[in-house]
Amino acid sequence: EQNTWLGTVNDGLFRFNPDKEYFANIDHMHRVNGEKGDGTTLSFIQLTDGTVLPGIWGDGIYRYDKDWNEIPLNIKDIPNNNNYSAWSMYPSRDSNIIWMSLQPTIGKYDQAKNTIVFFDPPKLESRTVRQIVEDRNGNLWIGMHNRGLFKWTASKGVKNFDDGLEKIRFI
């Protein structure tokens, strides 16, 4: 659709379509108090079913349908009243897994099974994971708040996530 997406500090998520020259602001309603949410949009991703997950700082992860109606999150193991701050979301090579950098953990969301697994390795010291990306070999690169860069090697961490994790040291 050639859209440009903008996350703002307190005005939600904006979508701009240069061909139509209009902005659309998509607010979220806070699940607990029913009022307009005031958290900052940190990340968002479109899923294979066409819905969009935005990660809102302090307010949690939300879900929107194709017409931008807020719908229940409906991910097993994440309560609908969650307040997970998803700093970044990244699709895996297989387009099924969505990696989420959360505060203070990592989430592996399986879209096909609609389940999420959380990883909180001791090496990350339960600190905020700001960025997560998967490289072409299936390894993860993890940017930490005030803790530096880590690499998770998929082949080493298959059975135990922690075994694949190492801090990158710069000389």
Side-chain angles (χ1 to χ4, degrees):
E1 297 174 342
Q2 304 301 312
N3 292 322
T4 300
W5 296 91
L6 304 164
T8 66
V9 173
N10 59 4
D11 286 323
L13 183 64
F14 286 88
R15 178 186 67 192
F16 175 65
N17 185 313
D19 292 338
K20 297 179 182 175
E21 296 185 9
Y22 72 91
F23 277 98
N25 183 329
I26 295 101
D27 291 324
H28 71 281
M29 299 305 291
H30 196 281
R31 290 186 263 280
V32 176
N33 63 24
E35 297 176 6
K36 179 183 170 189
D38 61 1
T40 302
T41 303
L42 299 171
S43 62
F44 54 89
I45 193 163
Q46 186 171 24
L47 302 179
T48 54
D49 67 1
T51 62
V52 174
L53 296 182
I56 313 295
W57 188 76
D59 289 352
I61 301 171
Y62 286 75
R63 185 185 296 251
Y64 291 89
D65 67 15
K66 65 179 180 61
D67 296 317
W68 297 106
N69 298 304
E70 192 174 312
I71 59 176
L73 181 61
N74 196 29
I75 296 175
K76 294 175 189 157
D77 301 318
I78 297 183
N80 278 327
N81 64 348
N82 79 88
N83 65 350
Y84 289 104
S85 293
W87 287 83
S88 70
M89 296 186 231
Y90 196 86
S92 65
R93 295 175 300 160
D94 68 7
S95 300
N96 177 49
I97 299 298
I98 303 295
W99 291 102
M100 298 180 182
S101 62
L102 302 169
Q103 189 170 334
T105 186
I106 295 170
K108 180 182 180 184
Y109 173 48
D110 184 320
Q111 295 181 74
K113 295 178 183 174
N114 195 35
T115 59
I116 190 165
V117 177
F118 297 101
F119 303 100
D120 191 12
K123 289 180 184 175
L124 301 184
E125 302 174 20
S126 292
R127 303 295 293 226
T128 298
V129 179
R130 288 281 182 104
Q131 299 290 322
I132 191 165
V133 295
E134 184 183 278
D135 66 22
R136 67 178 147 230
N137 298 314
N139 304 316
L140 298 178
W141 294 88
I142 301 164
M144 299 291 297
H145 180 73
N146 291 330
R147 295 292 181 257
L149 179 66
F150 287 78
K151 179 183 180 185
W152 177 76
T153 304
S155 61
K156 294 179 182 177
V158 171
K159 292 185 180 188
N160 180 354
F161 187 90
D162 298 11
D163 292 343
L165 195 62
E166 66 180 305
K167 183 172 175 75
I168 302 299
R169 307 224 183 260
F170 296 96
I171 299 174

